[in-house]
Amino acid sequence: MTSARPARLRVGIVGAGRVGSALGAALVRVGHDVVAVSAVSAQSRTRAERMLPGAAILPLDDVVAGAELVLVCVPDDALRPLVAGLADAGVWRAGQLVAHTSGAQGIGVLDPAAARGVLPLALHPVMTFAGRPEDLDRISGAPFGVTAPDELRPVAEMLVVEMGGEPVWVPETARALYHAALSVGSNHLVTLVNDALSLLDRAGVDDAPRLIAPLLSASLDNALRLRDAALTGPVSRGDVVTVAMHRRTLQEQAPDAVAAYLAMARRTAQRAHVAGRLSEAATEAVLEVLEEQP
């Protein structure tokens, strides 16, 4: 019986940040050979030594030159200049697999390398990492946003499965929208939760996280299962008196939170209306209370 397991690859990691070191360790765990990493800061060098002890810390060009799979884990804004610079320097080699981990970018950002014969992949882990060994456990079962040429899709998905992740296909043209959605869901959620905690602190509530945690957990669970049917609260009920009270109170006691409250309340009213939970008249009444004031 022939195994479907791909050949073991010599891997080079460009950028020994939290993502690069975690994915590198995951590849080592299943038998790939991370031969070299690039690490500029003292912190990244320490992280590479801790999580990838068998890998040499080398200059960027040497990391790429010695690898069959190059994993590029750099900030979004640095990705295209780095790929283009290596192409101009003639470092890329035809037949190399090159995967980046940016959520916002698809494989188009790798065009300068693809023009020189490399095989482009986009593998974005939908997970947050702390730069510690326990990050390996976070990869297990984590979804990865995968984009690749059709002929390389099995290769991209197999690499994700090997690392313990779950591949989720994202079309090239949808990559930016996909990433915006993740930012709304994750980054904005953290901001909203911390705004709520700060308001409870100002209200003098002891142990604000303990108070609100059950409500937040239930709300998230309901939203994931029920979508807009999970909407509750004064905005979705059209309770303009309570909404107006919220606005006045925030303006007096927490003016820094007013803009976010108004924006989210307006969006809640719009979603409640589209979902049929708030009538046209009630929606107009709520939005009137939420209008910007000079």
Coordinates of all heavy atoms in Angstrom, one line a residue, residues 72-113:
V72 N 7.3 32.0 4.8 CA 7.5 33.4 5.0 C 6.5 34.0 6.0 O 5.3 34.1 5.7 CB 7.4 34.2 3.6 CG1 7.8 35.7 3.8 CG2 8.3 33.6 2.6
C73 N 7.0 34.4 7.1 CA 6.2 34.8 8.2 C 6.6 36.2 8.7 O 7.3 36.4 9.7 CB 6.3 33.8 9.4 SG 6.0 32.1 9.0
V74 N 6.3 37.2 7.9 CA 6.6 38.6 8.1 C 5.4 39.4 8.1 O 4.3 39.0 7.6 CB 7.7 39.1 7.1 CG1 8.9 38.3 7.1 CG2 7.0 39.1 5.7
P75 N 5.4 40.6 8.7 CA 4.2 41.5 8.6 C 3.7 41.8 7.2 O 4.5 41.7 6.3 CB 4.8 42.8 9.3 CG 5.9 42.4 10.2 CD 6.5 41.2 9.4
D76 N 2.4 42.0 7.1 CA 1.8 42.1 5.8 C 2.5 43.2 4.9 O 2.8 42.9 3.7 CB 0.3 42.6 5.9 CG -0.5 41.4 6.5 OD1 0.0 40.3 6.7 OD2 -1.7 41.7 6.8
D77 N 2.9 44.3 5.5 CA 3.4 45.4 4.7 C 4.8 45.1 4.2 O 5.3 45.7 3.2 CB 3.5 46.7 5.5 CG 2.1 47.3 5.8 OD1 1.1 46.8 5.2 OD2 2.0 48.2 6.6
A78 N 5.5 44.1 4.9 CA 6.9 43.8 4.5 C 6.9 42.7 3.5 O 8.0 42.4 2.9 CB 7.7 43.4 5.7
L79 N 5.8 42.0 3.2 CA 5.8 40.8 2.5 C 6.2 41.0 1.0 O 7.1 40.4 0.5 CB 4.4 40.1 2.6 CG 4.2 38.8 1.8 CD1 5.3 37.8 2.2 CD2 2.8 38.2 2.1
R80 N 5.5 41.9 0.3 CA 5.8 42.1 -1.1 C 7.2 42.6 -1.3 O 7.9 42.1 -2.2 CB 4.7 43.0 -1.8 CG 4.9 43.1 -3.3 CD 3.8 44.0 -3.9 NE 2.6 43.3 -3.9 CZ 2.2 42.4 -4.9 NH1 3.1 42.1 -5.9 NH2 1.1 41.8 -4.8
P81 N 7.6 43.6 -0.6 CA 9.0 44.1 -0.8 C 10.0 43.0 -0.6 O 11.0 42.9 -1.3 CB 9.2 45.2 0.2 CG 7.8 45.7 0.4 CD 6.9 44.5 0.4
L82 N 9.8 42.1 0.4 CA 10.8 41.0 0.7 C 10.8 40.1 -0.5 O 11.8 39.7 -1.0 CB 10.4 40.3 2.0 CG 11.3 39.2 2.5 CD1 11.4 39.2 4.0 CD2 10.9 37.9 2.0
V83 N 9.6 39.6 -0.9 CA 9.5 38.7 -2.0 C 10.2 39.2 -3.3 O 10.9 38.6 -4.0 CB 8.1 38.3 -2.3 CG1 7.9 37.4 -3.5 CG2 7.5 37.5 -1.1
A84 N 9.8 40.5 -3.6 CA 10.4 41.1 -4.8 C 11.9 41.3 -4.7 O 12.6 41.1 -5.7 CB 9.7 42.5 -5.0
G85 N 12.4 41.7 -3.5 CA 13.8 41.9 -3.3 C 14.6 40.6 -3.5 O 15.7 40.6 -4.2
L86 N 14.1 39.5 -3.0 CA 14.7 38.2 -3.2 C 14.7 37.8 -4.7 O 15.6 37.2 -5.2 CB 14.1 37.1 -2.4 CG 14.3 37.3 -0.8 CD1 13.4 36.3 -0.1 CD2 15.8 37.0 -0.5
A87 N 13.6 38.2 -5.4 CA 13.5 37.9 -6.8 C 14.6 38.7 -7.6 O 15.3 38.1 -8.5 CB 12.1 38.2 -7.3
D88 N 14.7 39.9 -7.3 CA 15.6 40.8 -8.0 C 17.1 40.3 -7.7 O 17.9 40.4 -8.6 CB 15.5 42.2 -7.5 CG 14.2 42.9 -7.9 OD1 13.6 42.4 -8.9 OD2 13.8 43.9 -7.3
A89 N 17.3 39.7 -6.6 CA 18.6 39.2 -6.2 C 18.9 37.8 -6.8 O 20.0 37.3 -6.6 CB 18.8 39.2 -4.7
G90 N 17.9 37.2 -7.4 CA 18.1 35.9 -8.0 C 18.1 34.8 -7.0 O 18.7 33.7 -7.2
V91 N 17.5 35.0 -5.8 CA 17.7 34.0 -4.7 C 16.6 32.9 -4.9 O 16.9 31.7 -4.6 CB 17.5 34.7 -3.4 CG1 17.5 33.6 -2.2 CG2 18.5 35.7 -3.2
W92 N 15.4 33.2 -5.4 CA 14.4 32.1 -5.5 C 14.9 31.1 -6.5 O 15.6 31.4 -7.5 CB 13.1 32.7 -6.0 CG 12.5 33.7 -5.1 CD1 12.2 35.0 -5.3 CD2 12.0 33.4 -3.7 NE1 11.6 35.5 -4.2 CE2 11.5 34.6 -3.2 CE3 12.0 32.2 -3.0 CZ2 10.9 34.7 -1.9 CZ3 11.4 32.3 -1.7 CH2 10.9 33.5 -1.2
R93 N 14.5 29.8 -6.3 CA 14.8 28.7 -7.1 C 13.6 28.0 -7.7 O 12.6 27.8 -7.0 CB 15.6 27.7 -6.3 CG 16.8 27.0 -7.0 CD 17.6 26.1 -6.0 NE 16.8 25.2 -5.2 CZ 16.6 25.4 -3.9 NH1 17.2 26.4 -3.2 NH2 15.9 24.5 -3.2
A94 N 13.6 27.7 -9.0 CA 12.4 27.1 -9.6 C 12.2 25.8 -8.9 O 13.1 25.0 -8.6 CB 12.7 26.8 -11.1
G95 N 10.9 25.5 -8.6 CA 10.5 24.3 -8.0 C 10.3 24.4 -6.5 O 9.8 23.5 -5.8
Q96 N 10.8 25.5 -5.9 CA 10.6 25.6 -4.4 C 9.2 25.9 -4.1 O 8.5 26.6 -4.8 CB 11.4 26.8 -3.9 CG 12.9 26.6 -3.7 CD 13.6 27.9 -3.2 OE1 13.4 29.0 -3.8 NE2 14.4 27.8 -2.2
L97 N 8.7 25.3 -3.0 CA 7.4 25.7 -2.4 C 7.6 26.9 -1.6 O 8.5 26.9 -0.7 CB 6.9 24.6 -1.6 CG 6.3 23.3 -2.3 CD1 6.1 22.2 -1.4 CD2 5.0 23.6 -3.0
V98 N 6.8 27.9 -1.8 CA 6.9 29.1 -1.0 C 5.5 29.4 -0.4 O 4.6 29.7 -1.2 CB 7.5 30.3 -1.8 CG1 7.5 31.6 -0.9 CG2 8.8 30.0 -2.3
A99 N 5.4 29.4 0.9 CA 4.1 29.7 1.6 C 4.3 30.9 2.5 O 5.2 31.0 3.3 CB 3.7 28.5 2.4
H100 N 3.3 31.8 2.4 CA 3.3 32.9 3.4 C 2.1 32.7 4.3 O 1.2 32.0 4.0 CB 3.3 34.3 2.7 CG 2.0 34.6 2.1 ND1 0.9 35.0 2.8 CD2 1.6 34.7 0.8 CE1 -0.1 35.2 2.0 NE2 0.3 35.1 0.7
T101 N 2.2 33.4 5.4 CA 1.1 33.2 6.5 C 0.3 34.5 6.7 O -0.5 34.6 7.7 CB 1.8 32.9 7.8 OG1 2.7 33.9 8.2 CG2 2.5 31.5 7.7
S102 N 0.3 35.4 5.7 CA -0.5 36.6 5.8 C -2.0 36.3 5.6 O -2.3 35.5 4.6 CB 0.0 37.7 4.8 OG -1.0 38.7 4.7
G103 N -2.9 36.8 6.4 CA -4.3 36.6 6.2 C -4.8 37.5 5.1 O -5.7 37.1 4.3
A104 N -4.3 38.7 5.0 CA -4.8 39.7 4.1 C -4.4 39.5 2.6 O -5.1 40.0 1.7 CB -4.4 41.1 4.5
Q105 N -3.4 38.7 2.4 CA -2.8 38.5 1.1 C -3.1 37.1 0.6 O -3.1 36.1 1.3 CB -1.3 38.8 1.1 CG -0.9 40.1 1.5 CD -1.1 41.2 0.5 OE1 -1.4 40.9 -0.7 NE2 -1.0 42.5 0.9
G106 N -3.3 37.0 -0.7 CA -3.4 35.7 -1.4 C -2.1 35.3 -2.0 O -1.0 35.7 -1.5
I107 N -2.1 34.6 -3.1 CA -0.9 34.2 -3.8 C -0.3 35.2 -4.7 O 0.8 35.2 -5.2 CB -1.0 32.8 -4.5 CG1 -2.2 32.9 -5.5 CG2 -1.2 31.7 -3.5 CD1 -2.3 31.6 -6.4
G108 N -1.1 36.2 -5.0 CA -0.7 37.3 -5.9 C 0.5 38.0 -5.4 O 1.4 38.5 -6.2
V109 N 0.7 38.1 -4.1 CA 1.8 38.8 -3.5 C 3.1 38.1 -3.8 O 4.2 38.6 -3.7 CB 1.5 39.0 -2.0 CG1 1.7 37.7 -1.2 CG2 2.4 40.1 -1.4
L110 N 3.0 36.8 -4.1 CA 4.2 36.0 -4.4 C 4.5 36.0 -5.9 O 5.4 35.2 -6.3 CB 4.0 34.6 -3.9 CG 3.8 34.4 -2.4 CD1 3.4 32.9 -2.1 CD2 5.0 34.8 -1.7
D111 N 3.9 36.8 -6.7 CA 4.1 36.8 -8.2 C 5.6 37.0 -8.6 O 6.0 36.3 -9.5 CB 3.3 37.9 -8.8 CG 1.8 37.5 -9.0 OD1 1.5 36.3 -8.8 OD2 1.0 38.3 -9.4
P112 N 6.3 37.9 -7.9 CA 7.7 38.0 -8.3 C 8.5 36.7 -8.1 O 9.4 36.5 -8.9 CB 8.3 39.1 -7.3 CG 7.1 39.9 -6.9 CD 6.0 38.9 -6.9
A113 N 8.2 35.9 -7.1 CA 8.8 34.6 -7.0 C 8.3 33.6 -7.9 O 9.0 32.8 -8.5 CB 8.6 34.1 -5.5

